[in-house]
Amino acid sequence: MMLQKDSGKVLDAQSARVQSYINSSEKQKSLYKRTLFIVSISQILGGAGLAAGVTVGALLAQQMLGTEAYAGLPSALLTFGSAGAALLVGRLSQAYGRRTGLTAGFMLGGLGAIGVIFAAILNSVFLLFPSLLIYGAGSATNLQARYAGTDLASKKQRATAISITMVFTTFGAVAGPNLVNVMGDFALSIGVPSLAGPFILGAAAYILAGTVLFIMLRPDPLVIARTIQAINQESSNKGLLPTTEHTENKRGIIVGATIMVLTQMVMVAIMTMTPVHMMHHGHDLGAVGLVIGFHIGAMYLPSLVTGALIDKLGRTVMAIASGITLLLAGLLAAFAPGDSMVLMVIALSLLGLGWNIGLISGTALIVDSTKTSTRAKTQGSVDVLVALSGAAGGAVSGMIVASSSYLTLSIAGGILSLLLIPVVIWSRGVRK
């Protein structure tokens, strides 16, 4: 009986706390800012975890398998794992709130990184592949976290809110590839293969990110947003307030998803084979880490500017800019001399920038087009498609390079990005 009374008191206290946010617009604004801050901390850590696998995953598989034909497989496994995790995180967030979903996703990513470390120690491909799948959960969660910042944002703030959380990923994402040699040396000092070193960083980063969210993301922004929307809808039904809940815009969801799918596929395909391409032209692991560091920095650092532009100029205009930027990146990567560090940095930076614009544009369209009551579930489902498109790009990239060349891969990726333009033309019926 005492336990039931204590549980009842806890639930009453939690209900009162949630109610205090619902009744105060000032507290809602404060929670919005606090959520952005907490998610930004997790993004710094998650960015470091994300960068580890991107930088050395292909090289680790190439070393184990003895061929580059399947060097794109780790990227494919990471993104397949990301797809499953995106669905899981979306469903958990819908049922229990962002805190539960994001915490679970980051913890799974950390577990996968630990599995990769043991696979490298044992030289076991059979352990490496499932571990990479699980490790992909960290990548999915790192992307899903961008939605948390929009839960309490107005429509004119959404792209900016997404960009604020994403820009903090830069700090970890740029540091990660540039710690490749340091972590490799550390791994060797404890008897672990050097290529597994970055995954030690990845495990620590993902687990810390999950811990931060679990402890600090209270009250849950999605729970507050849903409750506010439900109260407003009830008041609207009674004629006390004008209707604020819009119906789901399926066309907007399709367009937003297509923009993200195409940009992800092009970006992953070219990025995956760039380390292998550079190693063929005499670059060492440090040079590869530098180029990937610039690339990942360009994926996230411009977010504050691109997010504001997307809110000001509209989602569709900036989606076209994404396609053009990706085309330029593909052409430059294709025709730049393989031994030119400067041109490779520029090409991969443009690739990251194009992805950034496309991802924020598409994400903002998804948020604009969904209802609060079903938003997290829809966001998770869309991110599954995004992850699968990345998996396809990663899997095919190695085969294209092995059967043809890096030049062919880069040109094909640039041309594919142009499909964004007819998609945007079709989307003119979607409100900006």
Side-chain angles (χ1 to χ4, degrees), residues 379-394:
Q379 289 165 343
S381 299
V382 169
D383 275 6
V384 170
L385 297 176
V386 175
L388 289 175
S389 70

Side-chain angles (χ1 to χ4, degrees), residues 56 84 146 177 192 227 232 237 253 275 279 288 305 319-320 343 355 359 366 388:
V56 300
R146 74 195 188 277
V192 175
T227 306
N232 288 342
N237 292 338
I253 293 172
M279 297 288 273
V288 171
V305 175
I320 291 175
L343 292 181
W355 176 88
L359 183 77
I366 295 296
L388 289 175

Side-chain angles (χ1 to χ4, degrees), residues 188-256:
L188 287 173
S189 72
I190 60 173
V192 175
S194 61
L195 287 178
F199 287 95
I200 298 175
L201 173 65
Y206 280 155
I207 291 171
L208 279 173
T211 302
V212 166
L213 290 168
F214 182 75
I215 294 173
M216 299 180 67
L217 199 61
R218 302 167 186 258
D220 193 290
L222 182 58
V223 172
I224 299 294
R226 270 205 307 250
T227 306
I228 292 171
Q229 189 62 69
I231 291 172
N232 288 342
Q233 186 64 28
E234 185 178 350
S235 298
S236 298
N237 292 338
K238 291 179 180 179
L240 300 176
L241 288 173
T243 301
T244 56
E245 177 75 83
H246 62 271
T247 57
E248 191 168 76
N249 183 346
K250 292 184 178 179
R251 193 176 189 187
I253 293 172
I254 292 170
V255 173

Side-chain angles (χ1 to χ4, degrees), residues 388-417:
L388 289 175
S389 70
V396 171
S397 63
M399 297 178 186
I400 291 177
V401 171
S403 61
S404 182
S405 65
Y406 181 78
L407 182 146
T408 301
L409 172 69
S410 300
I411 292 176
I415 293 173
L416 181 62
S417 66

Side-chain angles (χ1 to χ4, degrees), residues 59-67 116 119-125 128:
L59 299 175
L60 185 60
Q62 184 181 2
Q63 184 182 84
M64 282 190 178
L65 296 170
T67 175
V116 172
I121 293 171
L122 300 172
N123 195 32
S124 172
V125 172
L128 176 67

Side-chain angles (χ1 to χ4, degrees), residues 3 35 40 46 54 56 80 94 103 176 185 193-194 214 231 247 273 298 318 360 363 380 414:
L3 182 60
T35 298
S40 295
V54 167
V56 300
F80 273 124
Q94 185 70 50
T103 298
D185 291 341
S194 61
F214 182 75
I231 291 172
T247 57
M273 294 310 299
M318 293 302 290
I360 298 177
T363 299

Side-chain angles (χ1 to χ4, degrees), residues 324-382:
I324 293 171
T325 305
L326 289 172
L327 173 64
L328 292 175
L331 292 177
L332 185 57
F335 294 107
D339 58 356
S340 174
M341 273 288 294
V342 173
L343 292 181
M344 290 306 299
V345 165
I346 295 172
L348 269 290
S349 296
L350 285 173
L351 187 69
L353 177 61
W355 176 88
N356 173 276
I357 299 170
L359 183 77
I360 298 177
S361 299
T363 299
L365 262 174
I366 295 296
V367 177
D368 293 345
S369 305
T370 51
K371 298 185 293 183
T372 309
S373 56
T374 57
R375 183 167 294 157
K377 183 179 177 181
T378 302
Q379 289 165 343
S381 299
V382 169

